[in-house]
Amino acid sequence: MTRESNRHDVRIEHAADRLLAAIDRCRAPVCVGLDPVLDRMPRDLRVATHSGSPIAQQLGSFCCAIIDAVHDIVPCVKPQSACFERYRDAGLEALQQTIEHARRRGMQVILDAKRGDIGVSAEHYAAAAFDKSAAIFSAPDWITINSYLGEDGVRPFLRRSHGAFALVRTSNSGGAAIQSLALSDGRTVAEAVAQIIASIGDEHLGERGYSSLGAVVGATKRSEAARLRELMPRQIFLVPGFGAQGAGVDDVLPCFNPDGTGAIITASRSIIYAFKPDDPDWTSSVRRAAEAFADEIGRAVGIR
Amino acid sequence: MTRESNRHDVRIEHAADRLLAAIDRCRAPVCVGLDPVLDRMPRDLRVATHSGSPIAQQLGSFCCAIIDAVHDIVPCVKPQSACFERYRDAGLEALQQTIEHARRRGMQVILDAKRGDIGVSAEHYAAAAFDKSAAIFSAPDWITINSYLGEDGVRPFLRRSHGAFALVRTSNSGGAAIQSLALSDGRTVAEAVAQIIASIGDEHLGERGYSSLGAVVGATKRSEAARLRELMPRQIFLVPGFGAQGAGVDDVLPCFNPDGTGAIITASRSIIYAFKPDDPDWTSSVRRAAEAFADEIGRAVGIR
C-alpha cells in the first residue's frame, strides 16, 4: 500500500494516453469521486473549530487519507469542486492540497467543476483550471465542462496535455427532461450534443486513438449508452451513477468500446463513506470498498 | 455623482422586487457587465508586479472605479466570475471587493458564474454564492446558472431573497446548434427549457409578479425572443448581446413584456472599455457610454 505509483505516467503528454496508461496500471477503469461533506467526516478527523483553518484541515485531511488508501487500486480521483468552493479560500486550499497529493501518489485527477462559458470567459475558466501561473498550483489532468452553450463553449477548453469531459447525458433524474427530448430528425438532444463533441474531439486524438475531449455519459438506459458509444467512438466516457446512484455493472458495460476500453466508471459516496463515523480504521474500510469496486469493473471488462 | 444611492432597496426581501425597484430608480433596465481583462486596463491603474498583490489591486480598482462612475445611472452590475477566478485567491479577493463596493453604492449585483450541478453539489454552489458563512462575505443578489441538467440542476439555487438567471438561449454563435434544434413536437430545445423554468419559477413570485428564477435570453432573432417571452411571462430576462456583440434596440425590445418591464439589457465591453488606454479621464468616458446606453434603452421602453 505504501509503494509509490509509477511516476512515468506524468511523462505521457496526451491527456487521454495518460489516463489510459493509469487504467492499465491498475487494471481497473474506475474513478473515485471526492465529494467531502463536513458532517460525514470520520470522527477522528473532526477538529475543533478554533484551531486555525479547521475546514481546510478536515476536507484536505479526509481527501488525502482516501487517496493514500486507494492510490494503488484506483487510477483516478475526481474532486467535486463545489464541495471545496463552498468554503472559499480555505476550501480552495484544501482542493489544491488534494490535487497535489493525488499527483504525488501517481493518480490522474479529474476536477468535477462543470464549467461552461464562451469566448474569453471560457478561456479564463480553462486558464483557472490548467495554467500553472501560480507557482504552487498543481493542475488537474481533466475538467468537466457543460455543453449547452455549443461548440464555442467547448473549444476553449481543448488541450493536448489536459482533457475535458463534456456533459452529454447526465444520470440525475431531471436530466432526461432536456437531454432525452426527441428531435424532429429522430435524434435526441444528447445525441445531437454527442455528434458535436465527436466532431470537435477528432482534432485532438492521442496515440491510442482517444481524444482529449471526453464525454460524461451517465449510467441510465443501456440502449441510450450504446447509441452514444456508437456516435462517440473516440471519446473516453466518464460514467457517473454507479453504486449509490443505483446503476450496476450491466448498466455501465455499454459505455465501453468492444475491446473493453474507452470508459471510466466513477463511484463516490459508496466508496468514500464506506465506514461508520466512529470506525477507528475507516481508511481500511474505504480501501476494501475501492478494491471490490475496481475488481468488479475490472473483471466485467476483462482486464482482470 | 457622489450621492449615495437609496439604501432602502436592501430592505426589499424578494430578489425580483429588489431588482425592479433598482431599475425604477435609474429609469433604465440595464446592466453593466464587469469583465476585467488585465491587458485592457487603463494606463493609470497598471501597477508594478512587485507591489504586493497587483492583480487583485488592478482588477478591484478597475471594477470599483467603473462602479463609482455608473452607480447612479445603472441599477445593476454583472461581474464575470471567470475573469476573477483565473487569478485564484487574489482574483476572488478582487471579486469580493467589487461585490461589496457595488452593494455599498446601492447597486444590484448579478454574479455571472454559470454554475450547474445537481443535488448536494448544486446546494454547495448555491451556498458558495449566497450564504454569508464567512463574516466578510457580501453575497451577490443573483447568479447565472446552467439549465442543461434539468430541474434538479435549477431547484437548489432557488431562494426568495436571491435570484438565479437560468441559461435558456445564449447569444453566442454556437448556441443555436443545440438550443435552436427543432423537437418532434414543434418546440425548440430552448422553448422546452423555457417551459421548465417557467414552471419552477412560479413557486417563487414577488409582489410585482416576477419570479426570483429568471432567464438568460440573448438578443438573437426577434421572433425567437418574442416566443420565449410568451412562454416565460413571469421571468425577468437577462439579455446579453447588446453593443459589442452586435444587437441593437430593435433586437432587444421583444424581450420585454408589453408594459415595458421584465428584461434587463446588459452591455460589457462597449461600456467598460469605452476609452483609449492612455485616457487620463477614462472614468468620464465610461460614464458617458453608460449614460448613452441607459438613455437609449430607457427611452425605447418608455420609462424616460
Side-chain angles (χ1 to χ4, degrees), chain A residues 80 112 114 144-148 165-180 188-191 193 215-221 224-225 228 232 237-242 245 247 255, chain B residues 116-119 146-154:
Chain A
Q80 166 56 253
D112 195 358
K114 299 189 175 66
T144 57
I145 61 173
N146 192 298
S147 312
Y148 187 67
F165 288 105
L167 300 186
V168 173
R169 179 69 176 94
T170 59
S171 56
N172 59 307
S173 58
I178 296 165
Q179 300 156 22
S180 295
T188 64
V189 170
E191 288 167 9
V193 172
V216 174
V217 176
T220 51
K221 284 188 236 160
E224 207 172 20
L228 292 171
M232 297 184 285
F237 283 16
L238 178 67
V239 185
F242 192 84
Q245 284 183 59
C255 292
Chain B
D117 212 306
I118 54 161
N146 192 299
S147 312
Y148 187 67
L149 297 166
E151 184 171 330
D152 41 346
V154 172

Side-chain angles (χ1 to χ4, degrees), chain A residues 80 86 88 92 114-115 117 121 124-125 128 131 137 146-149 152 168 170 172 174 178-179 182 184, chain B residues 80 86 88 92 113-115 117 121 124 128 131 137 146-149 152 168 170 172 174 178-179 182 184:
Chain A
Q80 166 56 253
R86 170 168 197 158
R88 303 198 177 87
L92 293 180
K114 299 189 175 66
R115 289 299 185 266
D117 213 307
S121 301
H124 284 317
Y125 279 128
D131 287 1
F137 185 70
N146 192 298
S147 312
Y148 187 67
L149 297 165
D152 40 348
V168 173
T170 59
N172 59 307
I178 296 165
Q179 300 156 22
S184 59
Chain B
Q80 166 56 254
R86 171 168 198 157
R88 302 200 178 84
L92 293 181
K114 298 189 178 66
R115 289 299 184 265
D117 212 306
S121 301
H124 284 319
D131 287 1
F137 184 69
N146 192 299
S147 312
Y148 187 67
L149 297 166
D152 41 346
V168 173
T170 60
N172 60 306
I178 295 164
Q179 300 156 23
S184 60

Side-chain angles (χ1 to χ4, degrees), chain A residues 188-205:
Chain A
T188 64
V189 170
E191 288 167 9
V193 172
Q195 288 180 312
I196 292 171
I197 298 302
S199 163
I200 303 172
D202 272 359
E203 296 166 23
H204 290 268
L205 300 180

Side-chain angles (χ1 to χ4, degrees), chain A residues 205-254:
Chain A
L205 300 180
E207 287 179 14
R208 294 176 62 174
Y210 284 103
S211 174
S212 59
L213 179 59
V216 174
V217 176
T220 51
K221 284 188 236 160
R222 288 176 59 86
S223 58
E224 207 172 20
R227 178 67 187 137
L228 292 171
R229 185 73 272 177
E230 281 173 27
L231 292 172
M232 297 184 285
R234 286 174 289 280
Q235 268 59 55
I236 297 178
F237 283 16
L238 178 67
V239 185
F242 192 84
Q245 284 183 59
V249 166
D250 286 346
D251 300 302
V252 302
L253 282 180

Side-chain angles (χ1 to χ4, degrees), chain B residues 17-50:
Chain B
D17 291 334
R18 209 162 60 236
L19 182 54
L20 294 170
I23 290 170
D24 288 348
R25 172 169 60 76
C26 291
R27 294 184 300 126
V30 297
C31 173
V32 166
L34 300 174
D35 302 24
V37 176
L38 286 185
D39 60 12
R40 298 190 70 177
M41 295 288 114
R43 196 153 297 161
D44 69 359
L45 280 187
R46 301 202 187 183
V47 290
T49 49
H50 49 73

Side-chain angles (χ1 to χ4, degrees), chain A residues 96-109:
Chain A
Q96 189 54 46
Q97 184 190 351
T98 299
I99 293 174
E100 281 169 11
H101 195 67
R103 300 291 299 249
R104 272 197 299 271
R105 285 299 209 172
M107 301 186 86
Q108 293 290 293
V109 179

